[in-house]
Amino acid sequence: MIDDYQAALNFIHGRTKFKKIPTLDRMKRFLAELGNPQDGLTYIHVTGTNGKGSTVAMVRDALIGQGLTVGTFTSPFITRFNERIQYQGQPIADDDLVRLTRRVQLVVEKLDRILPTGGPTEFEIDTAIMFCYMAEKKPDVVILEVGIGGLYDSTNVIVPKVSVITTVGWDHMKYLGDTLGAIAHQKAGIIKEKVPIVIGKLPSEAHRVIVNEAANLNAPVYEEGVDFNVRKVNQHGLISQIIYDGIGLHHFASRLGLPGDYQVENAAVAITIVQLFMVQENLPLAPADLKQSLAATTWPGRMEIVSEEPTVILDGAHNLPGIQALVNTIHNDLGDRDVYLLVAILADKQYDLMLGELASLGNVHIMVTNFAGPSANRPSADLDDITADIRSRYPIKYAKHWQRGLESIATQLSADDVLIVTGSLYFISEVRHLFKD
């Protein structure tokens, strides 16, 4: 019996993570048993290898700033599970989570008994709880972030007003495929008939797959460099000032609340989404409010500045494209400062390539370490084993426990230096408690 918050979490996290054969049939049956709570709501659907969370945060704040009520579904969480399901930027209350988990559990137990492959997975349960919550709150729009891929993702049971593919890169190859074309095919699964799709900068192989799928479904494509453009006007600044042109905005200047060069492109995608959605809903857009919203957006664990002197940044760059984006930011905006990196990466990632990218920078001092990982099946990589094979300007150091590594770096930092903790969002979640509790 689920009678408290911990019991609800134990039930959710105790479920299997994946099934051998991907399908949406189980999710559709699950929702039908719950009365199809997903029906009757308005959606924006967002997928991509990186940039999803930041883009969702900017779109959320922008639409709230335009006077709308907004629900969001994102993953993973950084501090508490409740962060994944939000209304107006506020996480679902513990009591609501317990109540809805209890409701969902009854259906899960029924499906466990009657379905040959068993009942819903953990993420399907997360998604169902979210749909039940949104059906009660009835926001003007729900922004859904895909869990993995798109085609068979449990969120892919709706028809949105706008679809979004932020980026396509190497991640989750075990489930999505071992070519960029195969990964793009999975992400293109969220494209719907005649629904506009916004895409960020994509590799040519991925771009070809997605544009072809959009053409097959008569879905208009809005892409950076063609339908909208953005440029950063304050070079070498961690907080970007941008100028955007596209759709109905001309020479729109704004400051971004989210640090990091890669947020410039995410912001361009977000601004485009907001405009298209407002047009679809026949609502006027107030540019001054949009500017204010973009400047105020925060997103935990993504280039999050948790200390000013010295500067300490948490960045959950959890895959190769994410690390490459971080490397660009360090090179462009922090190239004249000593940057200390505390790095821990999950063992199922391309950790050798990720560490190699970081080591290519001439101004970084790297310390690799370990952390608990989300489960016994997903431990952190033993990075100490590969450091001898990676060339770097300064010797790469190793700390068995990240707490000791953090203490060691702290003794070396001057006021002008920068410390960045990175490599995994799960790692960031552990470290963040030191700064935010």
Side-chain angles (χ1 to χ4, degrees):
M1 178 65 179
I2 295 173
D3 51 10
D4 61 23
Y5 180 74
Q6 192 55 52
L9 292 188
N10 291 344
F11 168 71
I12 293 167
H13 296 320
R15 297 295 299 187
T16 181
K17 304 293 186 285
F18 296 100
K19 302 280 189 177
K20 287 185 178 179
I21 300 173
T23 178
L24 281 176
D25 293 341
R26 183 176 51 253
M27 188 67 200
K28 290 176 180 177
R29 172 69 182 275
F30 188 14
L31 291 171
E33 294 281 346
L34 288 165
N36 286 314
Q38 78 280 12
D39 291 349
L41 293 168
T42 301
Y43 297 97
I44 294 170
H45 205 186
V46 183
T47 190
T49 303
N50 285 324
K52 298 187 297 293
S54 300
T55 301
V56 167
M58 285 188 265
V59 174
R60 174 200 66 199
D61 289 355
L63 292 178
I64 290 173
Q66 298 295 315
L68 302 180
T69 54
V70 181
T72 54
F73 181 52
T74 57
S75 60
F77 63 91
I78 297 298
T79 305
R80 296 186 87 227
F81 176 87
N82 307 48
E83 297 164 22
R84 302 182 70 163
I85 302 170
Q86 298 192 15
Y87 175 78
Q88 292 295 81
Q90 296 302 310
I92 182 173
D94 290 359
D95 288 349
D96 288 330
L97 182 64
V98 171
R99 176 176 54 82
L100 293 173
T101 304
R102 191 183 300 133
R103 174 185 167 192
V104 163
Q105 181 193 28
L106 297 174
V107 176
V108 170
E109 289 174 346
K110 176 181 178 180
L111 295 178
D112 278 342
R113 292 193 300 269
I114 64 178
L115 292 180
T117 58
T121 64
E122 178 179 352
F123 191 70
E124 287 168 343
I125 290 169
D126 296 343
T127 308
I129 291 169
M130 175 274 301
F131 279 133
C132 290
Y133 182 66
M134 296 305 168
E136 292 179 355
K137 303 300 283 189
K138 292 184 171 54
D140 294 320
V141 58
V142 181
I143 311 171
L144 296 183
E145 180 188 318
V146 165
I148 293 178
L151 182 61
Y152 295 111
D153 189 77
S154 59
T155 60
N156 199 26
V157 291
I158 50 91
V159 176
K161 292 290 183 177
V162 183
S163 304
V164 186
I165 302 176
T166 56
T167 57
V168 175
W170 301 104
D171 202 12
H172 299 298
M173 285 93 80
K174 179 180 178 182
Y175 306 105
L176 303 182
D178 56 6
T179 68
L180 286 178
I183 294 170
H185 171 69
Q186 291 292 321
K187 297 191 186 302
I190 72 164
I191 301 173
K192 302 295 191 297
E193 182 84 31
K194 296 182 180 177
V195 174
I197 176 155
V198 182
I199 60 176
K201 284 187 176 176
L202 305 178
S204 57
E205 183 181 354
H207 181 272
R208 187 164 54 248
V209 169
I210 287 165
V211 168
N212 285 344
E213 182 62 18
N216 291 338
L217 293 168
N218 298 306
V221 177
Y222 294 83
E223 63 177 299
E224 185 178 346
V226 179
D227 304 281
F228 60 94
N229 292 282
V230 67
R231 59 190 175 94
K232 179 176 177 177
V233 293
N234 62 325
Q235 300 308 317
H236 312 303
L238 200 56
I239 301 295
S240 300
Q241 303 276 355
I242 65 165
I243 292 180
Y244 169 98
D245 284 282
I247 320 298
L249 291 174
H250 177 63
H251 217 64
F252 173 76
S254 182
R255 173 184 176 276
L256 302 184
L258 295 175
D261 283 4
Y262 58 87
Q263 298 296 2
V264 172
E265 291 179 11
N266 291 337
V269 169
I271 294 166
T272 305
I273 297 165
V274 170
Q275 290 186 85
L276 290 174
F277 180 80
M278 298 297 277
V279 168
Q280 296 262 67
E281 296 294 281
N282 294 311
L283 296 170
L285 179 74
D289 292 332
L290 177 59
K291 184 179 300 189
Q292 188 173 352
S293 299
L294 291 169
T297 298
T298 60
W299 191 236
R302 279 73 166 188
M303 287 301 289
E304 181 183 14
I305 300 172
V306 292
S307 172
E308 295 285 352
E309 281 195 13
T311 301
V312 179
I313 298 171
L314 307 181
D315 190 49
H318 61 287
N319 51 31
L320 184 58
I323 287 291
Q324 290 168 334
L326 175 59
V327 166
N328 285 338
T329 294
I330 295 172
H331 179 265
N332 293 336
D333 301 332
L334 301 170
D336 59 345
R337 299 166 76 175
D338 278 314
V339 177
Y340 290 79
L341 296 171
L342 183 63
V343 184
I345 304 171
L346 286 173
D348 59 5
K349 301 292 184 176
Q350 297 170 294
Y351 54 84
D352 51 345
L353 298 178
M354 293 165 70
L355 199 56
E357 290 278 347
L358 293 171
S360 70
L361 292 161
N363 64 321
V364 301
H365 308 258
I366 300 174
M367 179 173 288
V368 297
T369 188
N370 306 298
F371 70 109
S375 68
N377 295 328
R378 298 191 72 198
S380 68
D382 192 352
L383 298 179
D384 190 35
D385 283 352
I386 64 168
T387 54
D389 301 324
I390 295 177
R391 295 184 60 183
S392 61
R393 180 176 178 185
Y394 302 105
I396 299 176
K397 298 180 179 179
Y398 170 71
K400 184 176 181 180
H401 303 289
W402 66 258
Q403 294 89 341
R404 298 289 175 269
L406 195 61
E407 288 173 7
S408 174
I409 293 174
T411 63
Q412 304 171 58
L413 288 176
S414 71
D416 293 332
D417 295 338
V418 178
L419 165 60
I420 301 177
V421 183
T422 190
S424 165
L425 279 165
Y426 294 104
F427 177 43
I428 293 304
S429 178
E430 283 191 32
V431 177
R432 194 172 185 269
H433 287 286
L434 279 184
F435 295 94
K436 289 295 182 179
D437 280 359

